[in-house]
Structure formats: structure tokens, C-alpha cells
Amino acid sequence: MKAFTYQRARTPADAAAAAAQHPGARFIAGGTNLLDLMKLEIETPPHLVDVNGLGLDRIEPTQDGGLRVGALVRNTDLAADARVRRDYAVLSRALLAGASAQLRNKATTAGNLLQRTRCPYFYDTNQPCNKRKPGSGCAAIGGINRSLAVIGASDACIATHPSDMAVAMRALDAVVETVRADGATRSIPIAEFHTLPGDTPNIENGLAAGELITAVTLPRPIGGTHIYHKVRDRASYAFALVSVGAILQKDGTGRVAFGGVAPRPWRVEAAEAALAQGAKAAAALAFAGAKPTEQNKFKLVLAERTLAAAIAEARA
Amino acid sequence: MIDSSDINQARRDLLIGGALSATAAALPPMASAQGPETGQAPAATPAPVTARVALRVNGQRYELDLDTRTTLLDMLREHLRLTGTKKGCDQGQCGACTVIVDGRRINACLSLAVMHEGAEVTTIEGLGTPGKLHPMQAAFVKHDGYQCGYCTPGQICSAVAALDEIRRGIPSHASADLREKPLLSPAELRERMSGNICRCGAYSNIIEAITEVAGTGGAA
């Protein structure tokens, strides 16, 4: 691990200012992904700003009947919150499907959104990777890519976003709140938070240097049956090959976001309009324009079948 | 504070001895390898960046000046010499380093020591002693919940915390109903213990040990 200086921030604005003063600085909260990457020297921040003391660890009701989830709320606590279990069950289910209990006890809401891909070529520093080293190429495209993206990728990168939580957040139309070093705040709809790789897969979101996530807001509950189906190589503690986060209403309408298939949670509103016609029609629209590889084209079939299972469960 | 210089010294001697015995026949003397003919001084290694952290481990208070890169795991093992906590993968995948921090189980390998200012850490050494085993330790012995034993401290710390999570009503992926009190079923326990890998495959005995402790309510 490269040496770094370390400071504990006291307020969100202090943290943002501290990060802005140290080029290349990173915020650290749970550390479950960043430290792993620092050990491999994939991340080499010269300065860490510890944000654990900022007090952003509460879940509070919003004025319009939703919930404001502090950036530092641990995955365990968000999944176990009685209001989330009752009104946003897709989010509880997604969180509980991810990682292990030890990791969920540490990992935070904001950190989960910012976690990096688990593409094996991103992790292998002997291999070219445009996300890790821009311009070096992509070893995944001609390599072992069974686990990687089938849609939304580019000629530069076919990595997937690994988060389960973000898939549920996307189905729920969550909003990400941030603060910058100058104190300015903004709200970013989750649909616009993660960017597609294009020619710059090293850029994964629109946050400015030193911009700190302070909360994620969930709009007022929309009812329906909440389902999160995750298909993976092991029964537990593995990343998704395909996941489906769905909120399905009795009249056949609903919302669906897919995980494990794209560089960001994949939701196509036009596909949701076809949900009443069944999984085949909806999946065809959700994955229109998909460019799977020979090794991962099974994901298209798997996604349709996983959606069919979710629809069947909601009707049962 | 524990002085760790003697243990480090012993390791350094061992490393130097090992290196010499392996390379003495193949290389010219060290002086010429680093001599003036290379025209370069060896790159200076900058002094490590250190920070101070005060915390409690198994009820005892420690105040340490540590390289900021030191993980909680390395602090326990290398600085406090609490070697019950094991280093398996060192990347959060195996669970051998599981300890309980402020009542919650975490992977000590994926956390910096300096991030635990004011924390209360419990390791396997703090749960019980050879003369007075924690009920979970006794149950692992009784049910043969291990073979080589390397993952066992992490398994036991994890199991103690897992039962506490069930008691607190925290759901899991295996919970059929998110709003009901979680069950103490084998399916629940297996899911909740999925962050602890046992290469020997003692899983069924581990579940029996945890089930017994859960049944007697003796996990506290």
C-alpha cells in the first residue's frame, strides 16, 4: 500500500474542503472496497479524509412522506430499518443479498454507490484496463468475460457495476444529495448518477473532485409487491450474474431494474410499459441493442427468466 | 504499550539469514552490488506517516502511534501480539479476521487501525480463556467444529455476533418474511455465516455448535 496522510473530518463541509485541498484525496467511510484497492495499489490516494465522524448516520422521514438515508448509514442498519422493510422492501432485500454480514456492518450507503467494478481485469494490475489505466486497452473484451456487461458497455470497457443496493435505489427513483468544498449542495437523480463508460471508463459518476455524498433520499412509498431476485454462482456471498429489482402492482404495471448486466443499474422505462404483456416483451425492450459476448449471452436469457420468476411471484 | 521491537528483530534476523543462505553462492558481495559503479545512491525510503489512535481491546486501553496503513488486523497481531485473530485472504473474502467492534462483527483486514479511535474491540482472546471457555468456544470443541483450526477464531467471533443479530431482529437473505422475527433455522445460520470460509469443510459441525448455543441462550 502506498503511504498516505490521514485526517478525521468533523463536518461535511470540512471534509469536502479537506479533500479539495489535497489533490487525489479520497473520502473513507467503511473502507471495505477502497482499502482492498489500496492494498493492490489500484487506488493510491496520498491523503484520506475519514468521514465516519460526520454524524450522517440517521434515517429520517422527509416532508413529502419519503425517507432521507444518511450517507454513513451502514448496509445492515438500512436493511433492518422497520420503515425500509415495510415500505421499501426491494431495498432491504437487495442489501441483504449483497456481501457478507461482516461487510454489511461496515459498508455505507454512499460507499455502496461508489464501489468499483469487480471485473477481474480491473483487479489484475498486470493486465491492460482502460478503467484502471486510461488508454491501456481492455483485456476483458477478448478475455474471460462471462460475468461482464451485455449492454451499456463500450469498445473501451465492458465492466459491470457490482452493487445490489443501487439496483433497488434505481427502481425506487432515489435521489443522491451532495455537498462541495464551497458549501454548495445539489440533488442528483440516481438515473443520472452513474455514467456510462464510453471512451472514459475511468469516470464512473458526475461527482466533482472533493464533492461528498451526504444522503440518499427515497421518494414516498408507492406500494406494490417488492422483489429482489439475485442469480449467482453460489447461494450466498457472490456478485450477481443477473439480478432483478422489481416493484409490481396488482394491475400488472410496475418498475424493474436489472443488476449484473451493465456499467450501471439498468432500467428502461419503455420496457416497464410492456410489463403487462409479460417478461418476454419487457426483457426484449429492456435489452434492445444489447451486445453480449459469446461467453455472457446467457445473461439475456437469464434476465428474462429471472424477470418472469419475479412476475410470477408477484401474482401468486 | 507493548514494545514490539524484539519480535520484529527476530523476524528481521530470520529474513536476513534466509536471504544470505539462498544467495551467498550466486551473488558477488553486497558492497559491490550497491557500489559507486552504479552511479546512484539507493532510493531513500521515506519515513512512514504515522498517526495516533486510542482504543480498547478486550477491556484493556491502548494508545498507539501507527503507520496510517496499518490495518486493524495487523495492529492486533503485530503490535498487540493478539495472534488469535487470523490473516487468511487479507481482502475481506474469508472471514478468518472477524472481530467484534462496538458490538458488531467486521473484517479486521478491511479496516484501518487509525479509524477506530475510541472503539471497543473484542477478539477471540477476549471472549474466553482456556480455563473459562465462552459457551460458543465450548460448543465448537464439543461438536468438532473445525479441523485445522485456522478459521475457527473468526468463525466463533462471527457466530457470537450472528446470534446477537438474530436476537436484535436483523433480517437476512434467508428470512422468508422481512417483518417477522428471524428464525434460528439451519438455513438462517448458514446464510448468516456465509462470510466465514472453512477450507476443511467443517460447516455441518459448526452449524450444530451454533444451534446448540442458540438453544441454550448462552451466547452473551
Side-chain angles (χ1 to χ4, degrees):
Chain A
M1 201 187 301
K2 297 283 190 196
F4 55 86
T5 48
Y6 167 87
Q7 78 178 92
R8 299 180 187 116
R10 299 292 167 213
T11 68
D14 278 356
Q21 281 163 19
H22 294 83
R26 300 297 301 264
F27 300 117
I28 188 162
T32 55
N33 190 206
L34 181 58
L35 278 176
D36 196 20
L37 295 169
M38 285 169 65
K39 287 181 183 184
L40 295 165
E41 299 189 357
I42 294 167
E43 296 266 11
T44 54
H47 186 72
L48 285 185
V49 180
D50 183 342
V51 295
N52 285 294
L54 300 188
L56 304 170
D57 56 357
R58 300 236 291 274
I59 305 174
E60 296 165 323
T62 60
Q63 284 186 348
D64 60 356
L67 282 182
R68 187 169 184 272
V69 181
L72 292 166
V73 173
R74 310 289 152 170
N75 287 179
T76 297
D77 299 321
L78 184 55
D81 184 274
R83 295 160 292 187
V84 175
R85 284 198 256 175
R86 184 186 66 212
D87 297 329
Y88 307 96
V90 66
L91 180 56
S92 274
R93 285 290 181 196
L95 285 159
L96 295 171
S100 66
Q102 288 97 317
L103 292 167
R104 291 192 296 271
N105 278 341
K106 263 281 170 202
T108 62
T109 304
N112 192 311
L113 287 177
L114 295 173
Q115 65 180 310
R116 313 291 308 270
T117 185
R118 261 63 177 192
C119 174
Y121 298 96
F122 175 71
Y123 264 75
D124 184 348
T125 52
N126 294 307
Q127 300 280 349
C129 170
N130 288 320
K131 187 184 279 298
R132 173 168 34 78
K133 193 177 175 195
S136 63
C138 172
I141 287 172
I144 311 275
N145 50 40
R146 171 178 174 272
S147 67
L148 300 175
V150 294
I151 196 162
S154 71
D155 291 340
C157 180
I158 59 169
T160 54
H161 195 271
S163 172
D164 293 297
M165 185 198 81
V167 175
M169 295 276 197
R170 180 71 181 88
L172 290 166
D173 280 333
V175 177
V176 181
E177 296 179 15
T178 71
V179 63
R180 294 200 226 200
D182 62 4
T185 61
R186 63 173 173 151
S187 300
I188 309 166
I190 187 121
E192 297 163 21
F193 184 79
H194 295 106
T195 52
L196 292 178
D199 296 330
T200 54
N202 53 311
I203 298 168
E204 297 172 353
N205 56 62
L207 294 180
E211 188 171 5
L212 177 74
I213 298 175
T214 52
V216 177
T217 303
L218 305 175
R220 62 182 303 147
I222 58 166
T225 302
H226 288 227
I227 293 167
Y228 192 78
H229 273 317
K230 181 175 181 179
V231 185
R232 43 188 162 173
D233 286 334
R234 295 192 297 261
S236 183
Y237 200 12
F239 290 99
L241 291 168
V242 164
S243 70
V244 169
I247 304 166
L248 300 169
Q249 307 291 347
K250 284 204 165 23
D251 62 4
T253 62
R255 299 182 187 177
V256 176
F258 296 87
V261 293
R264 65 183 183 198
W266 196 252
R267 181 176 169 200
V268 176
E269 277 80 351
E272 294 172 352
L275 271 174
Q277 298 161 50
K280 196 175 184 65
L285 286 166
F287 291 95
K291 285 190 192 169
T293 68
E294 196 56 34
Q295 292 166 37
N296 71 14
K297 63 185 181 186
F298 75 95
K299 287 191 176 190
L300 296 174
V301 184
L302 192 56
E304 182 193 315
R305 290 178 181 170
T306 309
L307 176 59
I311 293 171
E313 186 182 323
R315 285 177 183 162
Chain B
M1 201 189 306
I2 288 177
D3 177 7
S4 61
S5 60
D6 52 342
I7 194 170
N8 286 338
Q9 189 59 47
R11 284 184 184 183
R12 206 170 298 125
D13 291 346
L14 192 66
L15 284 170
I16 291 167
L20 280 178
S21 62
T23 56
L27 288 178
M30 295 290 280
S32 70
Q34 296 180 348
E37 65 267 29
T38 62
Q40 267 184 331
T45 303
V49 182
T50 61
R52 172 155 292 204
V53 64
L55 75 177
R56 296 178 72 85
V57 180
N58 299 331
Q60 193 173 337
R61 188 171 187 279
Y62 295 94
E63 197 166 332
L64 302 162
D65 283 306
L66 296 172
D67 186 320
T68 53
R69 293 170 288 188
T70 310
T71 61
L72 180 62
L73 174 61
D74 286 341
M75 182 202 84
L76 292 169
R77 290 182 54 85
E78 308 294 333
H79 295 266
L80 305 187
R81 287 190 232 166
L82 293 168
T83 53
T85 307
K86 298 297 186 257
K87 182 179 281 193
C89 68
D90 208 27
Q91 52 187 19
Q93 293 183 1
C94 77
C97 67
T98 303
V99 296
I100 301 170
V101 178
D102 297 330
R104 301 161 72 114
R105 53 177 164 163
I106 66 165
N107 301 113
C109 75
L110 282 189
S111 206
L112 293 172
V114 293
M115 292 167 65
H116 292 280
E117 177 71 23
E120 179 76 53
V121 181
T122 302
T123 69
I124 190 71
E125 293 93 340
L127 281 181
T129 60
K132 193 184 177 196
L133 294 179
H134 183 280
M136 191 66 77
Q137 291 172 312
F140 267 65
V141 173
K142 177 180 169 186
H143 291 275
D144 210 9
Y146 48 82
Q147 282 185 38
C148 80
Y150 195 79
C151 73
T152 311
Q155 297 275 3
I156 290 175
C157 285
S158 193
V160 168
L163 291 186
D164 184 54
E165 287 162 12
I166 292 176
R167 252 198 310 272
R168 287 191 282 132
I170 293 170
S172 87
H173 180 63
S175 307
D177 188 332
L178 280 180
R179 296 169 69 184
E180 294 291 324
K181 196 169 160 42
L183 304 172
L184 278 164
S185 63
E188 276 280 2
L189 295 177
R190 277 197 293 269
E191 163 61 25
R192 289 171 189 272
M193 292 297 292
S194 71
N196 291 83
I197 311 298
C198 172
R199 184 65 182 80
C200 303
Y203 295 113
S204 61
N205 294 358
I206 289 170
I207 295 300
E208 283 177 19
I210 301 172
T211 302
E212 177 173 300
V213 176
T216 60

